[in-house]
């Protein structure tokens, strides 16, 4: 359950401007709260994604002292920020970004498909913007200075703090979002999150909503991954019976929300009518599709693009300015693996001026340069085999 809005921030606003408070409450309302306005099915039959896997290139974004320099990986699109938080917070960041000739998405509580970076205040909350930013693999920044990434859950227990980086790395490796290849139908009222929010997030994450209202007959035999059903829908309902007949897993909307916001946590409680095994099957298919796409895109890069070096510790390609490459300048010595300075053991504070070698190559060099240790190194190497 998400925490209520931070009252300390609201106290800085004029008390006589009720419309501003209403706007801020809407902006920061967690999508999991039960007091959301109902989003009813509008009969819109299909929402499809136009995003396709593409090769991702590295660009550098320079910001002023209040927003530190960071390396980002985006497709061939301009860097564009979307902001969250109270109105005054958003206005402050808008001014800073515009002074730096940056782009800011339209100020709204809804997600924008043009956004490449999402700036969220602390404490981070499970709003539509966070849900969509994570699902689409966009970089989620804390006050613009660094990427959100921690261990454990958020204060309200609604977010696995490792989620933003997990989905961003998936986007970098594959070019697609968390819902890539997912085909779903929606039956009944979507309350938390509302239907419009679900549409925007599924599209942002490269999934497809086939239909949002009956009839579903023409979709039943086409490989539907999930049927998102209202929690109170009785099992004897005719369409529920059709879903069960075709072995379509029935889940509540929170299944999709927690799949993105709390990866690694069980989703079993969100499956309905005993369709847990079918839901697990669809989940495995989703992971399999992601891995197939990874192989298609990453394999060629290993042989043709030497600029996209992966850190052997965190498996990230970003932050190239602090990436150490094993070897000398001529490339005649060393294995060429990459490691961020803060991923080294022990971590380094700065990029060393001299050549750097990974622990394995460093050990080999020490043996070859010191004859007295050569015999000892050979023995230790033979034992490890």
């Amino acid at each position: 359950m998400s925490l209520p809005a931070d009252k300390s921030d609201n106290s800085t606003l004029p008390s006589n401007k009720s419309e501003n408070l209403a706007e801020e409450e809407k902006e920061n309302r967690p999508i999991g709260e039960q007091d959301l306005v109902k989003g009813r099915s509008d009969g819109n039959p299909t929402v499809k994604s136009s995003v396709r896997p593409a090769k991702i290139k590295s660009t550098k974004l320079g910001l002023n002292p209040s927003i530190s320099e960071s390396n980002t990986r985006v497709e061939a699109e301009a860097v564009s920020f979307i902001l969250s938080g109270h109105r005054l917070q958003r206005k402050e960041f808008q001014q800073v970004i515009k002074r730096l000739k940056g782009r800011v998405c339209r100020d709204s509580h809804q997600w924008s498909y043009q956004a490449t970076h999402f700036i969220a205040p602390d404490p981070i909350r499970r709003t539509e913007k966070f849900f969509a930013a994570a699902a689409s693999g966009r970089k989620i920044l804390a006050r613009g200075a660094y990427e959100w990434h921690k261990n454990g859950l958020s204060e309200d227990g609604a977010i696995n703090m490792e989620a933003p980086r997990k989905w961003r790395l998936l986007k970098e490796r594959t070019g697609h979002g968390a819902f890539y290849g997912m085909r779903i139908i929606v039956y009944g009222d979507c309350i938390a999150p509302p239907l419009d929010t679900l549409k925007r997030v599924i599209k942002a994450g490269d999934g497809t909503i086939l239909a949002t209202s009956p009839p579903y007959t023409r979709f039943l035999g086409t490989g539907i991954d999930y049927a998102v059903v209202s929690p109170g829908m009785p099992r004897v309902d005719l369409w529920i019976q059709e879903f069960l007949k075709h072995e379509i897993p029935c889940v509540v909307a929170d299944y999709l929300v927690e799949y993105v916001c709390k990866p690694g946590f069980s989703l079993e409680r969100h499956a309905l009518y005993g369709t847990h095994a079918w839901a697990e099957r669809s989940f495995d298919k989703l992971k399999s599709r992601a891995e197939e796409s990874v192989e298609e895109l990453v394999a060629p890069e290993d042989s043709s693009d030497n600029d996209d070096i992966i850190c052997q510790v965190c498996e990230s390609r970003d932050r190239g300015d602090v990436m150490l490459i094993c070897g000398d300048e001529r490339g005649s010595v060393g294995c060429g693996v990459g490691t961020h300075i803060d991923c080294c053991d022990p971590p380094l504070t700065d990029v060393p001026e001299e050549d750097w070698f990974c622990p394995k190559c460093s050990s080999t060099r020490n043996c070859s340069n010191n004859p007295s240790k050569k015999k000892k190194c050979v023995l230790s190497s033979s034992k490890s085999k």
Side-chain angles (χ1 to χ4, degrees):
M1 193 66 180
S2 299
L3 293 174
D6 191 340
K7 295 183 180 179
S8 62
D9 288 338
N10 290 340
S11 62
T12 63
L13 301 178
S15 59
N16 61 339
K17 293 187 177 181
S18 58
E19 65 276 10
N20 288 342
L21 294 176
E23 187 270 338
E24 289 166 5
E25 181 181 357
K26 190 175 185 180
E27 160 68 24
N28 293 282
R29 180 186 293 122
I31 60 175
E33 288 191 355
Q34 298 302 316
D35 61 346
L36 286 166
V37 179
K38 284 189 177 181
R40 297 183 180 276
S41 300
D42 58 3
N44 185 0
T46 308
V47 178
K48 294 185 177 180
S49 169
S50 60
V51 179
R52 293 292 182 270
K55 186 176 180 180
I56 300 167
K57 297 195 178 289
S58 174
T59 61
K60 183 175 290 187
L61 173 67
L63 300 179
N64 77 340
S66 64
I67 304 178
S68 67
E69 186 179 55
S70 63
N71 290 328
T72 61
R73 300 189 164 273
V74 295
E75 298 174 5
E77 57 188 347
V79 173
S80 187
F81 293 88
I82 190 168
L83 312 175
S84 187
H86 293 294
R87 182 180 60 86
L88 295 181
Q89 290 176 310
R90 299 200 305 275
K91 185 176 180 180
E92 178 185 354
F93 276 114
Q94 285 174 351
Q95 292 172 345
V96 172
I97 293 170
K98 288 179 179 178
R99 283 201 302 269
L100 297 168
K101 309 301 182 183
R103 290 183 54 189
V104 181
C105 296
R106 181 172 60 88
D107 191 15
S108 167
H109 71 284
Q110 298 177 357
W111 174 250
S112 171
Y113 299 117
Q114 286 72 45
T116 60
H117 292 68
F118 170 47
I119 299 179
D122 191 6
I124 198 166
R125 298 164 64 86
R126 202 166 72 179
T127 61
E128 174 182 323
K129 289 180 181 177
F130 176 87
F131 187 16
S136 58
R138 301 309 190 183
K139 180 164 282 190
I140 300 178
L141 307 176
R143 297 189 176 275
Y146 56 89
E147 182 180 24
W148 271 110
H149 181 255
K150 299 179 181 178
N151 295 322
L153 298 176
S154 57
E155 292 181 4
D156 57 3
I159 297 173
N160 179 351
M161 299 303 290
E162 297 180 3
R165 179 172 289 184
K166 169 186 170 66
W167 299 119
R168 193 258 302 166
L169 292 176
L170 176 70
K171 179 77 172 183
E172 288 188 357
R173 295 197 310 269
T174 68
H176 61 65
F179 294 122
Y180 177 72
M182 182 184 290
R183 293 159 50 85
I184 68 174
I185 55 177
V186 179
Y187 181 42
D189 293 334
C190 273
I191 299 176
L195 180 60
D196 286 342
T197 292
L198 192 63
K199 286 180 179 179
R200 285 187 288 269
V201 174
I202 294 296
K203 180 178 179 180
D206 302 325
T208 303
I209 297 181
L210 299 172
T212 58
S213 61
Y216 306 105
T217 308
R218 67 191 182 98
F219 300 112
L220 293 178
T222 62
I224 298 173
D225 291 304
Y226 297 101
V228 178
V229 179
S230 299
M233 195 69 69
R235 186 188 182 99
V236 295
D237 180 272
L238 293 178
W239 282 113
I240 297 298
Q241 290 298 309
E242 285 294 322
F243 299 156
L244 298 179
K245 178 181 177 182
H246 289 82
E247 297 189 357
I248 299 173
C250 300
V251 300
V252 295
D254 269 345
Y255 185 100
L256 304 180
V257 176
E258 296 206 352
Y259 164 69
V260 170
C261 297
K262 296 180 67 175
F265 286 77
S266 174
L267 302 172
E268 185 175 347
R269 64 192 180 96
H270 300 304
L272 304 173
Y273 318 119
T275 60
H276 303 81
W278 301 342
E280 187 66 25
R281 181 185 62 195
S282 291
F283 184 82
D284 290 339
K285 284 171 56 181
L286 185 65
K287 291 193 297 183
S288 176
R289 282 193 292 261
E291 293 305 318
E292 290 173 2
S293 192
V294 168
E295 293 173 2
E296 291 173 5
L297 289 175
V298 172
E301 291 184 11
D302 290 340
S303 58
S304 62
D305 192 349
N306 294 327
D307 292 331
D308 286 343
I309 301 296
I310 300 176
C311 174
Q312 63 175 340
V313 178
C314 69
E315 299 183 349
S316 170
R317 288 188 175 91
D318 66 348
R319 299 192 296 134
D321 58 331
V322 292
M323 182 84 77
L324 303 176
I325 310 300
C326 177
D328 58 9
E329 292 183 358
R330 295 172 298 173
S332 59
V333 182
C335 61
V337 301
T339 307
H340 291 119
I341 59 174
D342 54 337
C343 292
C344 293
D345 185 16
L348 303 178
T349 56
D350 297 298
V351 177
E353 295 182 1
E354 65 276 5
D355 295 332
W356 177 84
F357 297 92
C358 70
K360 181 178 179 180
C361 293
S362 179
S363 176
T364 302
R365 281 172 53 83
N366 289 338
C367 290
S368 59
N369 293 336
N370 192 339
S372 63
K373 293 184 178 181
K374 189 171 183 179
K375 184 176 180 180
K376 184 177 180 181
C377 290
V378 172
L379 290 176
S380 61
S381 176
S382 62
K383 287 181 179 179
S384 63
K385 294 179 182 180

